[in-house]
Every structure is written in structure tokens, then in C-alpha cells.
Amino acid sequence: MDALWKQGSSCDWPAATVIISDDDDAAAAELLRRGPWTVDEDALLAGYVAAHGEGRWNELARAAGLRRTGKSCRLRWLNYLRPGVRRGDFTPREQLLILDLHSRWGNRWSKIAAHLPGRTDNEVKNYWRTRVQKHAKQLGCDVGSHRFHDAMRNLWMPRLLERIHADDSAAAVAAAAAADNVSHYYSAASPSHELLSSQPAYGNAAPMGNCARALSPDASSVTGSSWSSREASPPSQFQSSSCSTMAGCSTSTEQCQNNGCSSATSVDMFDKSWSELLARANHDDTEFGLGETGDNWWSLEDIWEEPLY
DNA sequence: AATAGACTCAACCGCGAGTCC
DNA sequence: TGGACTCGCGGTTGAGTCTAT
């Protein structure tokens, strides 16, 4: 379609792009808006869906008086207006789950997003393309390569686990202090999953410890081995990490940063430490455990043996 | 302060599958 | 059976924002 694009300055809608069809007769009826949605359009769409429900998007668009395609309405509703849509940075738990599920299913964004309550396939896809592929580029390899998968398993995922443990530990300590009952938490010598069980449930998701299992029907087909399933401790590059202990990261943001960790307020905590870890791995002549894993991909279940809640 | 390049993410596009007539 | 239509998915784009120089 050789459509003519212009800014819709003459219509009563806020400035936006409209399509004028080449067909003169249809032009008047084919004024379709594109580009960012306005508040009015959002209200119109949300109100109509609330009253009549989802589905039949083309018909809905016409009936609601929206100068949008049904496709556009559906996308706007699902990715933005739908109740329960979560916005903002991905938490370390979500990042870890994305890495794991992508290793199983590949670019099945909607399937992956279905296991991240409130997240859309578009968000997951964007996260992968911007964050993950950026790291692959830094490594000079493809995201589908063994090298990158091993880097994720041996560098990225343990780092995320550290962060999750640190955050949860700090939160637990804070909660205990607030209750003026700190000694109870330390003297109980409780395993982490008991400690963390006091944490509020994340969204509507199942607890992550169970999540990796419950949400992975084909988990049995994943046969990859990893350091945690064969060793009692992480690879050397992580044992030597200045931030390899929970205490190293949980005491304070400042200390964490001084120790070489990313800020506790930085959700994509690996961004700032990627180069550092990469350099360390190269210095240690580490090939990301490629030889140890053979042809098998890593699995979240391999490195996440104890429930986090 | 200005500019260029990098990055993010909302939105669009094309295509295949499913449904209806 | 097959054509029209709808839906949903994955890939791509580009405007706005951020960051480095």
C-alpha cells in the first residue's frame, strides 16, 4: 500500500500520524491513526473493553469510535491497559527466569511471558534484545552459541542468585530489626528458604523455588550439568569474587559498590559487572566451563537447588 | 551547552494458524 | 472445500531519552 503519511493536524485528535489511502473514495473512511496512543484513546478503549469485553478487535475499534486498527487496539490493551500489567525493570528473579525459560523454549516470548505474571511478551522480548543480546555482543558471540550459554550459566545466573539472596537476606534482616527480634532470625540458624518464606509473594507467581520445576514440564529433557550439581561450591571465578557472599552485598549499597558489585538499586545488576567478570574469567583462562558441560545447555534447576521461599 | 551515538521500548508489520460461512 | 476474516506470535522499526564527548 503506497500510503501517504502525514501529521494529523487537521483532525480533532491530538497530533498523530494518520493514513490516507491511495483510494480517494475510501480516503475519508480510512483515516487510521498510528503512533503513540493518547489519554483519550486509552480511556475510550479501556472503557469499551470494560463494558463489552475483549475480542473481535476490528469490530471493537469501529464500535468504540477508535480510529485504530483492531490489531493496534489489541496490542495497546494487552501491553499497556490490561489490568495487572506490571511496568518497570525486571527483578533479578524475573531475569533469572527469563534466562532459564529462554534456554528451554527459545524465542517463545508469549510462552515465557506467561510465566512472568504481569509481564508481556513484548517486554520480555525487549529485555532479551536489549540486555541479553548486548552482553552477547560484548562477548563477541551469538546468543545461541555454547560460549554465551556457558557464560550465562557460569557468570550471569550465579550473579543473579547472589543478588537475589542478598536482597532477600537484607529484607529479612530489615524486617527482623523492625520487629526488634533480630536475634530470633540468627539464632534459629534457619535455612534460607525458611528465612525467605517471610518474604511477600511475588505477584501471583508460584514461589520461584517451585516455579522452575512446576513451570517446566519438559524439565526432564534438560540434561545439562552445572557446578552446583556436581560441586559443593560455585566455580573459582565466583569464589574469588569480592561479592560472592551474601554479607558482601547485603550490608549496604555503598559497601556493595565498593566491593565491586553493582548498586543495590540497579535492577539489571549485571550490566556494570559484566566487563569485570569477563575480564576476570579471561584472566583465569576460564572458558566458561565449556568443556565441563559438553553439548548440554545449563538449567536453572541445576544451579537452583534450594527453594528461595 | 551542544552534539552525536547508544539505548530503550511502544508500536507496527508480516505471517501462520484457527474459525466461520 | 476454500475463501474471508480474526487472532496471536515473533521480528522490526523509529521516536524519545540517556550518556559520553
Side-chain angles (χ1 to χ4, degrees):
Chain A
M1 176 179 70
D2 295 325
L4 172 65
W5 300 87
K6 72 173 187 179
Q7 292 302 310
S9 58
S10 60
C11 68
D12 53 353
W13 296 83
T17 307
V18 300
I19 300 174
I20 296 180
S21 167
D22 285 345
D23 186 339
D24 290 340
D25 294 336
E30 287 293 323
L31 279 175
L32 292 177
R33 288 171 48 77
R34 286 182 37 156
W37 281 64
T38 66
V39 174
D40 287 343
E41 285 178 304
D42 282 345
L44 208 52
L45 176 58
Y48 195 89
V49 171
H52 301 91
E54 302 177 37
R56 311 289 297 179
W57 293 104
N58 285 331
E59 185 181 323
L60 184 153
R62 283 192 295 270
L66 286 161
R67 296 171 185 172
R68 297 276 184 174
T69 65
K71 256 187 171 183
S72 183
C73 292
R74 173 184 167 273
L75 204 64
R76 183 63 176 174
W77 173 257
L78 293 178
N79 287 346
Y80 195 86
L81 298 175
R82 181 168 48 100
V85 169
R86 296 183 67 220
R87 316 202 68 77
D89 292 332
F90 283 95
T91 66
R93 277 186 174 77
E94 289 174 316
Q95 293 178 49
L96 195 57
L97 195 53
I98 289 171
L99 296 181
D100 177 56
L101 295 181
H102 187 275
S103 75
R104 301 171 190 277
W105 300 328
N107 295 357
R108 302 290 303 279
W109 307 120
S110 62
K111 191 173 181 178
I112 294 171
H115 293 112
L116 294 163
R119 298 296 189 179
T120 68
D121 57 347
N122 215 28
E123 271 189 300
V124 174
K125 183 169 55 182
N126 281 332
Y127 170 78
W128 187 267
R129 292 186 62 82
T130 57
R131 312 297 215 289
V132 179
Q133 290 195 343
K134 181 178 71 177
H135 295 326
K137 190 177 179 180
Q138 286 177 306
L139 272 173
C141 61
D142 186 82
V143 290
S145 67
H146 282 278
R147 178 176 169 83
F148 186 70
H149 277 258
D150 284 333
M152 278 201 291
R153 189 200 67 224
N154 288 333
L155 297 177
W156 198 341
M157 294 180 78
R159 197 78 165 177
L160 284 170
L161 284 170
E162 289 174 7
R163 171 64 190 279
I164 291 168
H165 279 298
D167 287 352
D168 288 343
S169 179
V173 170
D180 195 26
N181 194 20
V182 177
S183 60
H184 164 73
Y185 281 79
Y186 287 109
S187 62
S190 56
S192 60
H193 67 276
E194 292 179 6
L195 190 68
L196 297 172
S197 66
S198 63
Q199 299 305 302
Y202 156 64
N204 297 321
M208 278 293 290
N210 298 329
C211 199
R213 293 162 177 77
L215 301 181
S216 304
D218 56 346
S220 60
S221 66
V222 180
T223 56
S225 58
S226 73
W227 56 263
S228 67
S229 61
R230 304 187 334 192
E231 307 169 32
S233 56
S236 58
Q237 64 264 38
F238 287 97
Q239 291 177 317
S240 63
S241 168
S242 61
C243 194
S244 62
T245 64
M246 290 166 63
C249 275
S250 63
T251 48
S252 73
T253 297
E254 183 179 3
Q255 179 180 348
C256 187
Q257 289 172 313
N258 291 339
N259 285 345
C261 304
S262 61
S263 165
T265 58
S266 171
V267 176
D268 191 3
M269 44 69 73
F270 204 68
D271 272 348
K272 293 183 175 63
S273 54
W274 178 259
S275 298
E276 169 207 341
L277 288 170
L278 193 56
R280 186 189 307 145
N282 289 335
H283 179 265
D284 293 345
D285 200 23
T286 301
E287 283 296 327
F288 307 121
L290 185 60
E292 297 176 5
T293 58
D295 294 332
N296 297 324
W297 294 142
W298 46 262
S299 165
L300 178 59
E301 294 176 45
D302 293 336
I303 63 174
W304 199 326
E305 291 186 323
E306 70 175 29
L308 287 172
Y309 285 86

